[in-house]
Amino acid sequence: MRIHAIFHGRVQGVGFRYSAKQKAVELDIRGWVKNNEDGTVELEAEGSETNLQRFINALENGMNPFIKVTHIDQKTYENEAGYSKFSVR
């Protein structure tokens, strides 16, 4: 299973991408995360459905007190892209 998501809120300059990578490694999630010019953070992640849900829930609730997610645009896909690791772009 694969998820593509864009996170809105206070998500840049607060450790969001590195928190995402840390959680991804913990949950065996593969893919990538990057900052967008409009202040959002975009990610694509794949793994088991259970672990992907845990991953998105953790990111949505803020991995540290500085992160404040206000909205997530998310699409789910059945197929995987074949990522071998989780990277910060």
Side-chain angles (χ1 to χ4, degrees):
M1 183 174 206
R2 179 169 49 103
I3 290 176
H4 183 267
I6 298 177
F7 291 81
H8 302 260
R10 191 172 60 218
V11 292
Q12 288 194 15
V14 290
F16 185 95
R17 292 177 300 152
Y18 292 96
S19 295
K21 181 173 181 170
Q22 185 177 38
K23 195 60 156 178
V25 169
E26 179 185 318
L27 293 172
D28 191 31
I29 301 292
R30 298 157 316 278
W32 52 265
V33 62
K34 71 173 185 170
N35 283 342
N36 288 328
E37 289 183 13
D38 65 359
T40 62
V41 172
E42 182 176 1
L43 70 77
E44 189 160 283
E46 61 188 27
S48 74
E49 184 175 356
T50 300
N51 283 354
L52 280 173
Q53 192 59 49
R54 288 180 184 153
F55 180 61
I56 295 298
N57 286 343
L59 296 176
E60 183 176 15
N61 293 319
M63 302 282 291
N64 73 48
F66 303 106
I67 297 170
K68 178 67 176 157
V69 175
T70 58
H71 178 71
I72 304 171
D73 295 319
Q74 179 178 315
K75 293 182 183 175
T76 304
Y77 304 92
E78 292 300 319
N79 67 324
E80 292 190 355
Y83 299 112
S84 60
K85 64 179 182 173
F86 194 89
S87 60
V88 174
R89 293 185 174 174

Coordinates of all heavy atoms in Angstrom, one line a residue:
M1 N 0.8 -1.2 0.0 CA 0.0 0.0 0.0 C 0.9 1.2 0.0 O 2.0 1.2 0.6 CB -0.9 0.0 1.2 CG -1.9 1.1 1.3 SD -3.0 0.8 2.7 CE -4.3 1.7 2.1
R2 N 0.4 2.3 -0.6 CA 1.2 3.5 -0.7 C 0.3 4.7 -0.5 O -0.9 4.7 -0.8 CB 1.8 3.6 -2.2 CG 2.6 4.9 -2.4 CD 3.4 4.7 -3.8 NE 2.5 4.3 -4.9 CZ 2.0 5.1 -5.8 NH1 2.3 6.4 -5.8 NH2 1.3 4.6 -6.8
I3 N 0.9 5.7 0.2 CA 0.2 7.0 0.5 C 1.0 8.2 0.0 O 2.2 8.2 0.1 CB 0.0 7.2 2.0 CG1 -1.1 6.1 2.5 CG2 -0.5 8.6 2.4 CD1 -1.2 6.1 4.0
H4 N 0.3 9.1 -0.6 CA 0.8 10.4 -1.0 C 0.1 11.4 -0.2 O -1.1 11.5 -0.2 CB 0.7 10.7 -2.5 CG 1.3 11.9 -2.9 ND1 0.7 13.1 -3.0 CD2 2.6 12.2 -3.3 CE1 1.5 14.1 -3.4 NE2 2.7 13.5 -3.6
A5 N 0.8 12.3 0.5 CA 0.2 13.2 1.4 C 0.9 14.6 1.4 O 2.1 14.6 1.2 CB 0.1 12.7 2.9
I6 N 0.1 15.6 1.6 CA 0.6 17.0 1.7 C 0.1 17.5 3.1 O -1.1 17.5 3.3 CB 0.2 17.9 0.6 CG1 0.8 17.4 -0.7 CG2 0.7 19.3 0.8 CD1 0.4 18.1 -2.0
F7 N 1.0 17.9 3.9 CA 0.7 18.4 5.3 C 0.8 19.9 5.3 O 1.7 20.5 4.9 CB 1.8 17.8 6.3 CG 1.6 16.4 6.5 CD1 2.2 15.5 5.6 CD2 1.0 15.9 7.6 CE1 2.1 14.1 5.8 CE2 0.9 14.5 7.8 CZ 1.4 13.6 6.9
H8 N -0.3 20.5 5.8 CA -0.4 21.9 6.0 C -0.3 22.3 7.4 O -0.7 21.5 8.3 CB -1.8 22.4 5.4 CG -2.0 22.1 4.0 ND1 -1.9 22.9 3.0 CD2 -2.4 20.9 3.4 CE1 -2.2 22.3 1.8 NE2 -2.5 21.1 2.1
G9 N 0.1 23.5 7.7 CA 0.2 24.0 9.1 C 1.6 24.5 9.4 O 2.4 24.9 8.4
R10 N 2.0 24.4 10.6 CA 3.4 24.8 11.0 C 4.2 23.5 10.9 O 4.4 22.7 11.8 CB 3.5 25.3 12.4 CG 4.8 25.9 12.8 CD 4.8 26.7 14.1 NE 4.5 25.7 15.2 CZ 3.7 26.0 16.2 NH1 3.2 27.2 16.3 NH2 3.5 25.1 17.1
V11 N 4.7 23.2 9.6 CA 5.4 22.0 9.3 C 6.8 22.2 8.7 O 7.5 21.2 8.5 CB 4.5 21.1 8.4 CG1 3.3 20.6 9.1 CG2 4.1 21.8 7.1
Q12 N 7.2 23.4 8.5 CA 8.6 23.7 8.0 C 9.4 24.4 9.1 O 8.8 25.2 9.8 CB 8.6 24.5 6.7 CG 8.1 23.7 5.6 CD 8.4 24.3 4.2 OE1 9.2 25.3 4.1 NE2 7.8 23.9 3.2
G13 N 10.6 24.0 9.2 CA 11.5 24.7 10.2 C 11.2 24.2 11.7 O 11.7 24.8 12.6
V14 N 10.5 23.1 11.8 CA 10.2 22.5 13.1 C 10.6 21.1 13.3 O 10.2 20.4 14.3 CB 8.7 22.7 13.4 CG1 8.4 24.2 13.6 CG2 7.8 22.1 12.4
G15 N 11.4 20.5 12.4 CA 11.9 19.1 12.5 C 10.9 18.1 11.9 O 11.1 16.9 12.2
F16 N 9.9 18.5 11.2 CA 8.9 17.6 10.7 C 9.5 16.5 9.8 O 9.2 15.3 10.0 CB 7.8 18.4 9.8 CG 6.7 17.5 9.4 CD1 5.5 17.5 10.1 CD2 6.8 16.8 8.2 CE1 4.5 16.7 9.7 CE2 5.7 16.0 7.8 CZ 4.6 15.9 8.6
R17 N 10.4 16.9 8.8 CA 10.9 15.9 7.9 C 11.8 14.9 8.7 O 11.7 13.7 8.4 CB 11.7 16.5 6.8 CG 10.8 17.3 5.8 CD 11.7 18.1 4.8 NE 12.6 19.0 5.5 CZ 13.8 19.4 5.0 NH1 14.2 18.9 3.8 NH2 14.5 20.2 5.6
Y18 N 12.6 15.3 9.6 CA 13.4 14.4 10.3 C 12.7 13.5 11.3 O 13.0 12.3 11.5 CB 14.6 15.1 11.0 CG 15.5 15.7 9.9 CD1 15.4 17.0 9.4 CD2 16.4 14.8 9.2 CE1 16.1 17.4 8.4 CE2 17.2 15.3 8.2 CZ 17.1 16.6 7.7 OH 17.8 17.0 6.7
S19 N 11.6 14.1 11.9 CA 10.7 13.3 12.7 C 10.0 12.2 11.9 O 9.8 11.1 12.3 CB 9.6 14.2 13.4 OG 10.2 15.1 14.3
A20 N 9.6 12.6 10.6 CA 9.0 11.6 9.7 C 9.9 10.5 9.4 O 9.5 9.3 9.4 CB 8.5 12.3 8.4
K21 N 11.2 10.8 9.1 CA 12.2 9.8 8.8 C 12.4 8.9 10.0 O 12.4 7.6 9.8 CB 13.5 10.4 8.3 CG 14.5 9.3 8.0 CD 15.8 9.8 7.4 CE 16.6 8.6 7.0 NZ 17.8 9.0 6.3
Q22 N 12.5 9.4 11.1 CA 12.7 8.6 12.3 C 11.5 7.6 12.6 O 11.7 6.4 12.8 CB 12.9 9.5 13.5 CG 13.2 8.8 14.8 CD 13.5 9.8 15.9 OE1 12.8 10.9 16.0 NE2 14.5 9.6 16.8
K23 N 10.3 8.1 12.4 CA 9.1 7.3 12.6 C 9.0 6.3 11.5 O 8.6 5.1 11.7 CB 7.9 8.2 12.7 CG 6.7 7.5 13.2 CD 6.9 7.0 14.6 CE 5.7 6.8 15.4 NZ 6.0 6.3 16.7
A24 N 9.4 6.6 10.3 CA 9.3 5.7 9.1 C 10.3 4.5 9.4 O 9.9 3.4 9.1 CB 9.7 6.4 7.8
V25 N 11.5 4.8 9.8 CA 12.4 3.7 10.1 C 11.9 2.8 11.2 O 12.0 1.6 11.1 CB 13.8 4.3 10.5 CG1 14.7 3.3 11.0 CG2 14.4 5.0 9.3
E26 N 11.3 3.4 12.2 CA 10.7 2.6 13.3 C 9.6 1.7 12.9 O 9.5 0.6 13.4 CB 10.2 3.6 14.4 CG 9.5 3.0 15.6 CD 8.9 4.1 16.5 OE1 9.6 5.1 16.7 OE2 7.8 3.9 17.0
L27 N 8.8 2.2 11.9 CA 7.6 1.4 11.4 C 7.9 0.6 10.1 O 6.9 0.1 9.5 CB 6.4 2.3 11.3 CG 5.9 2.9 12.6 CD1 4.9 4.0 12.3 CD2 5.3 1.9 13.5
D28 N 9.1 0.6 9.6 CA 9.4 -0.1 8.4 C 8.6 0.5 7.2 O 8.1 -0.2 6.4 CB 9.2 -1.6 8.5 CG 9.8 -2.3 7.3 OD1 10.8 -1.9 6.7 OD2 9.2 -3.4 6.9
I29 N 8.6 1.8 7.1 CA 8.0 2.6 6.0 C 9.1 3.0 5.1 O 10.1 3.5 5.5 CB 7.2 3.8 6.6 CG1 6.1 3.4 7.6 CG2 6.6 4.6 5.5 CD1 5.0 2.6 7.0
R30 N 8.8 2.9 3.8 CA 9.7 3.4 2.8 C 9.1 4.5 2.0 O 7.9 4.6 1.8 CB 10.1 2.2 1.9 CG 10.8 1.1 2.7 CD 10.8 -0.3 2.0 NE 9.5 -0.7 1.4 CZ 8.4 -1.2 2.1 NH1 8.5 -1.3 3.4 NH2 7.3 -1.6 1.5
G31 N 10.0 5.4 1.4 CA 9.5 6.5 0.6 C 10.3 7.7 0.7 O 11.5 7.6 0.9
W32 N 9.7 8.9 0.8 CA 10.4 10.2 0.9 C 9.5 11.3 1.5 O 8.3 11.1 1.5 CB 10.9 10.6 -0.5 CG 9.9 10.7 -1.6 CD1 9.6 9.7 -2.5 CD2 9.0 11.7 -1.9 NE1 8.6 10.1 -3.3 CE2 8.2 11.3 -3.0 CE3 8.7 13.0 -1.3 CZ2 7.2 12.1 -3.5 CZ3 7.7 13.8 -1.8 CH2 7.0 13.4 -2.9
V33 N 10.2 12.3 1.9 CA 9.5 13.5 2.4 C 10.3 14.7 2.0 O 11.5 14.7 1.9 CB 9.4 13.5 4.0 CG1 10.7 13.4 4.7 CG2 8.5 14.6 4.5
K34 N 9.6 15.8 1.7 CA 10.3 17.1 1.2 C 9.5 18.3 1.6 O 8.2 18.2 1.7 CB 10.6 17.0 -0.3 CG 9.3 17.2 -1.1 CD 9.7 17.3 -2.6 CE 8.4 17.6 -3.4 NZ 8.8 17.9 -4.8
N35 N 10.1 19.4 1.7 CA 9.5 20.7 1.9 C 9.0 21.2 0.5 O 9.8 21.1 -0.5 CB 10.4 21.7 2.5 CG 10.6 21.6 3.9 OD1 9.9 20.9 4.6 ND2 11.7 22.2 4.5
N36 N 7.9 21.9 0.4 CA 7.4 22.5 -0.8 C 7.6 24.0 -0.6 O 7.6 24.5 0.5 CB 6.0 22.2 -1.1 CG 5.8 20.8 -1.5 OD1 6.7 20.2 -2.2 ND2 4.7 20.2 -1.2
E37 N 7.7 24.7 -1.7 CA 7.9 26.2 -1.7 C 6.7 26.9 -1.0 O 6.9 28.0 -0.5 CB 8.1 26.7 -3.1 CG 9.5 26.3 -3.7 CD 9.7 26.9 -5.0 OE1 9.0 27.9 -5.4 OE2 10.7 26.5 -5.7
D38 N 5.5 26.3 -1.0 CA 4.3 27.0 -0.5 C 4.2 26.8 1.0 O 3.2 27.2 1.6 CB 3.1 26.5 -1.2 CG 2.8 25.1 -0.9 OD1 3.5 24.4 -0.3 OD2 1.7 24.6 -1.5
G39 N 5.2 26.2 1.7 CA 5.2 26.1 3.1 C 4.6 24.7 3.6 O 4.6 24.5 4.8
T40 N 4.2 23.9 2.7 CA 3.7 22.6 3.0 C 4.8 21.6 3.0 O 5.9 21.9 2.5 CB 2.6 22.1 2.1 OG1 3.1 22.0 0.7 CG2 1.4 23.1 2.1
V41 N 4.5 20.4 3.5 CA 5.5 19.3 3.4 C 4.8 18.1 2.7 O 3.6 17.8 3.0 CB 6.0 18.8 4.8 CG1 6.8 17.5 4.7 CG2 6.8 19.9 5.5
E42 N 5.5 17.6 1.7 CA 4.9 16.5 0.9 C 5.6 15.2 1.2 O 6.8 15.2 1.4 CB 5.1 16.9 -0.6 CG 4.5 15.9 -1.6 CD 4.6 16.5 -3.0 OE1 5.2 17.6 -3.2 OE2 4.2 15.7 -3.9
L43 N 4.9 14.1 1.2 CA 5.6 12.8 1.4 C 4.9 11.7 0.6 O 3.7 11.9 0.3 CB 5.7 12.4 2.8 CG 4.5 12.0 3.7 CD1 4.0 10.6 3.4 CD2 4.9 12.1 5.1
E44 N 5.6 10.7 0.3 CA 5.1 9.5 -0.3 C 5.7 8.4 0.5 O 6.9 8.4 0.8 CB 5.4 9.4 -1.8 CG 4.7 8.2 -2.4 CD 4.6 8.3 -3.9 OE1 3.8 9.2 -4.4 OE2 5.4 7.6 -4.6
A45 N 4.8 7.5 0.9 CA 5.2 6.4 1.8 C 4.5 5.1 1.5 O 3.4 5.1 1.1 CB 4.9 6.8 3.3
E46 N 5.2 4.0 1.7 CA 4.6 2.7 1.4 C 5.1 1.7 2.5 O 6.1 1.9 3.1 CB 5.0 2.2 0.0 CG 6.5 2.0 -0.2 CD 6.8 1.7 -1.7 OE1 6.0 2.0 -2.6 OE2 7.8 1.0 -1.9
G47 N 4.2 0.8 2.7 CA 4.4 -0.3 3.7 C 3.1 -0.9 4.0 O 2.1 -0.8 3.2
S48 N 3.0 -1.6 5.1 CA 1.7 -2.3 5.5 C 0.7 -1.3 5.8 O 1.0 -0.1 6.2 CB 1.9 -3.2 6.7 OG 2.1 -2.5 7.9
E49 N -0.6 -1.6 5.6 CA -1.7 -0.7 5.8 C -1.7 -0.2 7.3 O -1.9 0.9 7.6 CB -3.0 -1.3 5.5 CG -4.2 -0.4 5.6 CD -5.5 -1.1 5.2 OE1 -5.5 -2.2 4.6 OE2 -6.5 -0.4 5.3
T50 N -1.5 -1.2 8.2 CA -1.5 -0.9 9.6 C -0.4 0.1 10.0 O -0.6 1.1 10.7 CB -1.3 -2.2 10.5 OG1 -2.3 -3.0 10.2 CG2 -1.2 -1.9 12.0
N51 N 0.9 -0.1 9.5 CA 2.0 0.8 9.8 C 1.8 2.1 9.1 O 2.2 3.1 9.7 CB 3.3 0.1 9.5 CG 3.7 -0.9 10.5 OD1 3.1 -1.1 11.5 ND2 4.8 -1.6 10.3
L52 N 1.3 2.2 7.9 CA 1.0 3.4 7.3 C 0.1 4.3 8.1 O 0.3 5.5 8.2 CB 0.5 3.2 5.9 CG 1.6 2.9 4.8 CD1 0.9 2.6 3.5 CD2 2.6 4.1 4.6
Q53 N -1.0 3.7 8.6 CA -2.0 4.4 9.4 C -1.3 4.9 10.7 O -1.5 6.1 11.1 CB -3.2 3.5 9.7 CG -4.3 4.3 10.3 CD -4.8 5.4 9.4 OE1 -5.1 5.1 8.2 NE2 -5.0 6.6 9.9
R54 N -0.5 4.1 11.3 CA 0.3 4.5 12.5 C 1.2 5.7 12.2 O 1.3 6.7 13.0 CB 1.1 3.4 13.1 CG 0.3 2.3 13.8 CD 1.2 1.2 14.3 NE 0.4 0.2 14.9 CZ 0.7 -1.1 15.0 NH1 1.9 -1.5 14.5 NH2 -0.1 -2.0 15.5
F55 N 1.8 5.6 11.1 CA 2.8 6.7 10.6 C 2.0 8.0 10.4 O 2.4 9.0 10.9 CB 3.4 6.2 9.3 CG 4.4 7.1 8.7 CD1 5.6 7.5 9.4 CD2 4.2 7.6 7.4 CE1 6.5 8.3 8.8 CE2 5.2 8.4 6.8 CZ 6.3 8.8 7.5
I56 N 1.0 8.0 9.6 CA 0.2 9.2 9.4 C -0.4 9.8 10.6 O -0.4 11.0 10.9 CB -0.9 9.0 8.3 CG1 -0.3 8.6 6.9 CG2 -1.8 10.2 8.1 CD1 0.6 9.6 6.3
N57 N -0.9 8.9 11.5 CA -1.5 9.4 12.8 C -0.4 10.1 13.6 O -0.7 11.1 14.3 CB -2.1 8.2 13.6 CG -3.4 7.8 13.0 OD1 -4.0 8.5 12.2 ND2 -3.8 6.6 13.4
A58 N 0.8 9.5 13.7 CA 1.9 10.1 14.5 C 2.2 11.4 13.9 O 2.4 12.4 14.7 CB 3.1 9.1 14.5
L59 N 2.3 11.6 12.6 CA 2.7 12.8 12.0 C 1.6 13.9 12.2 O 1.9 15.0 12.4 CB 3.0 12.6 10.5 CG 4.2 11.8 10.2 CD1 4.3 11.6 8.7 CD2 5.5 12.4 10.8
E60 N 0.4 13.4 12.0 CA -0.8 14.4 12.2 C -0.9 14.9 13.6 O -1.2 16.1 13.8 CB -2.1 13.6 11.9 CG -3.3 14.5 11.9 CD -4.6 13.8 11.5 OE1 -4.6 12.5 11.4 OE2 -5.6 14.5 11.2
N61 N -0.5 14.1 14.6 CA -0.6 14.6 16.0 C 0.7 15.3 16.5 O 0.7 15.7 17.6 CB -0.9 13.4 16.9 CG -2.2 12.8 16.7 OD1 -3.2 13.6 16.5 ND2 -2.3 11.5 16.6
G62 N 1.6 15.5 15.6 CA 2.8 16.3 15.9 C 3.8 15.4 16.7 O 3.5 14.9 17.8
M63 N 5.0 15.3 16.1 CA 6.0 14.4 16.8 C 6.8 15.2 17.8 O 7.5 14.7 18.6 CB 7.0 13.9 15.7 CG 6.3 13.1 14.6 SD 5.9 11.4 15.2 CE 7.6 10.8 15.3
N64 N 6.6 16.6 17.8 CA 7.2 17.4 18.8 C 6.3 18.6 19.0 O 5.4 18.8 18.2 CB 8.7 17.8 18.5 CG 8.8 18.8 17.4 OD1 8.1 19.8 17.4 ND2 9.6 18.6 16.4
P65 N 6.5 19.4 20.1 CA 5.5 20.4 20.4 C 5.5 21.6 19.4 O 4.6 22.4 19.5 CB 5.9 20.9 21.8 CG 7.3 20.3 22.1 CD 7.5 19.2 21.2
F66 N 6.5 21.7 18.6 CA 6.6 22.8 17.6 C 5.8 22.5 16.3 O 5.5 23.4 15.6 CB 8.1 23.1 17.3 CG 8.9 23.4 18.5 CD1 9.8 22.4 19.0 CD2 8.8 24.6 19.2 CE1 10.6 22.7 20.1 CE2 9.5 24.8 20.3 CZ 10.4 23.9 20.7
I67 N 5.6 21.2 16.0 CA 4.8 20.8 14.8 C 3.3 21.0 15.1 O 2.8 20.5 16.1 CB 5.2 19.4 14.4 CG1 6.6 19.2 14.1 CG2 4.3 18.9 13.3 CD1 7.1 17.8 13.9
K68 N 2.6 21.7 14.1 CA 1.2 21.8 14.2 C 0.6 21.6 12.9 O 0.6 22.5 12.0 CB 0.9 23.2 14.8 CG -0.6 23.5 14.8 CD -1.3 22.7 15.9 CE -2.8 23.1 16.0 NZ -3.6 22.1 16.6
V69 N 0.1 20.4 12.7 CA -0.6 20.0 11.4 C -2.0 20.5 11.5 O -2.8 20.2 12.4 CB -0.5 18.5 11.2 CG1 -1.3 18.1 9.9 CG2 0.9 18.1 11.0
T70 N -2.5 21.3 10.5 CA -3.8 21.8 10.5 C -4.7 21.0 9.5 O -5.9 21.0 9.6 CB -3.9 23.3 10.1 OG1 -3.3 23.5 8.9 CG2 -3.2 24.1 11.2
H71 N -4.1 20.4 8.4 CA -4.8 19.7 7.4 C -3.9 18.8 6.6 O -2.7 19.1 6.5 CB -5.5 20.8 6.4 CG -6.2 20.2 5.3 ND1 -7.4 19.5 5.5 CD2 -5.9 20.1 4.0 CE1 -7.8 19.1 4.3 NE2 -6.9 19.4 3.4
I72 N -4.4 17.7 6.2 CA -3.7 16.8 5.3 C -4.5 16.5 4.1 O -5.6 16.1 4.2 CB -3.4 15.4 6.0 CG1 -2.7 15.6 7.4 CG2 -2.6 14.5 5.1 CD1 -2.5 14.4 8.2
D73 N -3.9 16.7 2.9 CA -4.4 16.2 1.6 C -3.8 14.8 1.4 O -2.6 14.8 1.3 CB -4.1 17.2 0.5 CG -4.7 18.5 0.7 OD1 -5.9 18.6 1.1 OD2 -4.1 19.5 0.4
Q74 N -4.6 13.8 1.3 CA -4.0 12.4 1.2 C -4.7 11.6 0.2 O -5.9 11.6 0.0 CB -4.2 11.8 2.6 CG -3.7 10.4 2.7 CD -3.8 9.8 4.1 OE1 -3.6 10.5 5.1 NE2 -4.3 8.6 4.2
K75 N -3.9 10.8 -0.6 CA -4.4 9.9 -1.5 C -3.8 8.5 -1.2 O -2.6 8.5 -0.8 CB -4.1 10.3 -2.9 CG -4.8 11.5 -3.4 CD -4.4 11.8 -4.9 CE -5.1 13.1 -5.3 NZ -4.7 13.5 -6.6
T76 N -4.6 7.5 -1.3 CA -4.1 6.1 -1.0 C -4.1 5.3 -2.3 O -5.0 5.4 -3.1 CB -5.0 5.4 0.0 OG1 -5.0 6.3 1.2 CG2 -4.4 4.1 0.4
Y77 N -3.0 4.5 -2.5 CA -2.9 3.7 -3.7 C -2.7 2.2 -3.3 O -2.0 2.0 -2.3 CB -1.7 4.1 -4.6 CG -1.9 5.6 -5.0 CD1 -1.3 6.6 -4.2 CD2 -2.5 6.0 -6.1 CE1 -1.4 7.9 -4.6 CE2 -2.6 7.3 -6.5 CZ -2.0 8.3 -5.7 OH -2.1 9.6 -6.1
E78 N -3.2 1.3 -4.0 CA -3.0 -0.1 -3.7 C -1.6 -0.6 -4.1 O -1.0 -1.4 -3.5 CB -4.0 -1.0 -4.4 CG -5.4 -0.8 -3.9 CD -5.5 -1.2 -2.4 OE1 -4.9 -2.2 -2.0 OE2 -6.2 -0.4 -1.7
N79 N -1.0 0.0 -5.2 CA 0.3 -0.4 -5.7 C 1.4 0.3 -5.0 O 1.2 1.4 -4.5 CB 0.4 -0.2 -7.2 CG 0.4 1.2 -7.6 OD1 -0.3 2.0 -7.0 ND2 1.1 1.6 -8.6
E80 N 2.5 -0.3 -4.9 CA 3.7 0.3 -4.3 C 4.7 0.7 -5.4 O 4.7 0.2 -6.5 CB 4.4 -0.7 -3.4 CG 3.6 -1.0 -2.1 CD 4.4 -1.7 -1.1 OE1 5.5 -2.1 -1.3 OE2 3.8 -1.9 0.0
A81 N 5.5 1.7 -5.1 CA 6.5 2.2 -6.1 C 7.8 1.5 -6.0 O 8.6 1.7 -6.9 CB 6.7 3.7 -5.9
G82 N 8.0 0.7 -5.0 CA 9.2 0.0 -4.8 C 10.4 0.7 -4.2 O 11.6 0.4 -4.5
Y83 N 10.1 1.6 -3.3 CA 11.2 2.3 -2.6 C 11.9 1.3 -1.7 O 11.3 0.4 -1.1 CB 10.6 3.4 -1.7 CG 9.9 4.5 -2.5 CD1 8.5 4.7 -2.4 CD2 10.6 5.3 -3.4 CE1 7.9 5.7 -3.1 CE2 9.9 6.3 -4.1 CZ 8.6 6.5 -4.0 OH 7.9 7.4 -4.7
S84 N 13.2 1.5 -1.5 CA 14.0 0.6 -0.7 C 14.3 1.2 0.7 O 14.7 0.5 1.6 CB 15.3 0.3 -1.4 OG 16.1 1.5 -1.6
K85 N 14.1 2.5 0.9 CA 14.3 3.2 2.2 C 13.5 4.5 2.2 O 12.8 4.8 1.3 CB 15.8 3.5 2.3 CG 16.3 4.6 1.3 CD 17.7 4.9 1.4 CE 18.1 6.0 0.4 NZ 19.5 6.5 0.6
F86 N 13.6 5.2 3.4 CA 12.8 6.4 3.5 C 13.9 7.5 3.5 O 14.8 7.5 4.3 CB 12.0 6.5 4.8 CG 11.0 7.6 4.9 CD1 9.8 7.4 4.3 CD2 11.4 8.8 5.4 CE1 8.8 8.4 4.3 CE2 10.5 9.9 5.4 CZ 9.2 9.7 4.9
S87 N 13.7 8.5 2.6 CA 14.7 9.6 2.5 C 14.1 11.0 2.7 O 12.9 11.2 2.4 CB 15.4 9.5 1.2 OG 14.5 9.6 0.1
V88 N 14.9 11.9 3.1 CA 14.5 13.3 3.2 C 15.1 14.0 2.0 O 16.3 13.9 1.7 CB 15.1 14.0 4.5 CG1 14.9 15.5 4.5 CG2 14.6 13.3 5.7
R89 N 14.2 14.6 1.2 CA 14.7 15.3 0.0 C 14.8 16.8 0.2 O 14.2 17.4 1.1 CB 13.6 15.1 -1.1 CG 13.5 13.7 -1.6 CD 12.6 13.6 -2.7 NE 12.6 12.2 -3.3 CZ 11.8 11.8 -4.2 NH1 10.9 12.6 -4.8 NH2 11.9 10.6 -4.7

